[in-house]
Amino acid sequence: AFACVESIYKGRIGDVIKGCTPNVTVVAPDPQGDLKGHPCHLYYMIPYDATEHDVKIQGFLRGRFTYTSVHCYGWSSLPPANGQFRFDETLTPDAGATGGPEDTFTVHATTKPLGLPGMNEIDVSEEPSGVCLVRLIYPEYAEIERCKPSVLAVPRGLRA
């Protein structure tokens, strides 16, 4: 049964990210719903591979939307067993945040978290490769391209 669920998951996500390069590509959401979920829950899909590097994801914390979350899912279709993800209340803004629409966050998907206070880390040691989803709820469509996150492979442990 689990193999069947995993196959369906890889098929749905795989069709959307086919040809994408891990730690480089960010797939912007289709306003009609890439994952056929609620049309006002829009997901940026970021294939990640943290087997040799940390993965640095930067995005907008505020804007013309009501909620932000960052989840990493392994190819098993499950989030890491430790259940880590970041959302509005647990995303620490980057330095210089003012509470305005230009505030950004940085999240590190890593297999070796440093555990520093205020550090946005997601421990992906149990699922070192997969897809990271950055979700915005009720964004104005004009915000979709403006709020597109960026992704970069960085040396393990680099948090600057």
Side-chain angles (χ1 to χ4, degrees):
F2 182 76
C4 180
V5 170
E6 184 176 2
S7 174
I8 292 169
Y9 172 77
K10 282 184 176 179
R12 289 179 75 188
I13 298 294
D15 289 344
V16 176
I17 64 170
K18 189 179 293 181
C20 295
T21 304
N23 308 336
V24 173
T25 305
V26 177
V27 178
D30 175 347
Q32 303 307 311
D34 287 313
L35 300 179
K36 308 298 184 252
H38 192 287
C40 292
H41 292 211
L42 301 180
Y43 298 85
Y44 297 92
M45 289 176 272
I46 304 169
Y48 74 90
D49 184 348
T51 55
E52 296 181 19
H53 300 90
D54 285 348
V55 181
K56 179 179 176 179
I57 300 167
Q58 293 182 290
F60 284 88
L61 184 60
R62 305 280 184 261
R64 293 180 191 95
F65 45 89
T66 61
Y67 177 84
T68 304
S69 67
V70 183
H71 301 254
C72 291
Y73 294 89
W75 293 120
S76 66
S77 79
L78 299 173
N82 55 27
Q84 293 185 31
F85 67 97
R86 297 288 180 257
F87 59 98
D88 280 349
E89 287 80 22
T90 63
L91 272 168
T92 301
D94 291 338
T98 63
E102 300 302 315
D103 287 356
T104 59
F105 65 83
T106 301
V107 169
H108 296 272
T110 180
T111 59
K112 298 192 184 300
L114 301 176
L116 300 172
M119 184 63 53
N120 293 321
E121 295 178 317
I122 298 177
D123 182 353
V124 295
S125 56
E126 294 180 15
E127 297 283 354
S129 66
V131 176
C132 184
L133 299 179
V134 177
R135 177 172 63 165
L136 305 180
I137 295 182
Y138 291 102
E140 293 181 8
Y141 289 159
E143 291 283 272
I144 293 172
E145 200 55 41
R146 183 187 83 83
C147 292
K148 186 176 180 178
S150 64
V151 61
L152 181 67
V154 297
R156 199 169 310 287
L158 180 66
R159 299 290 187 269

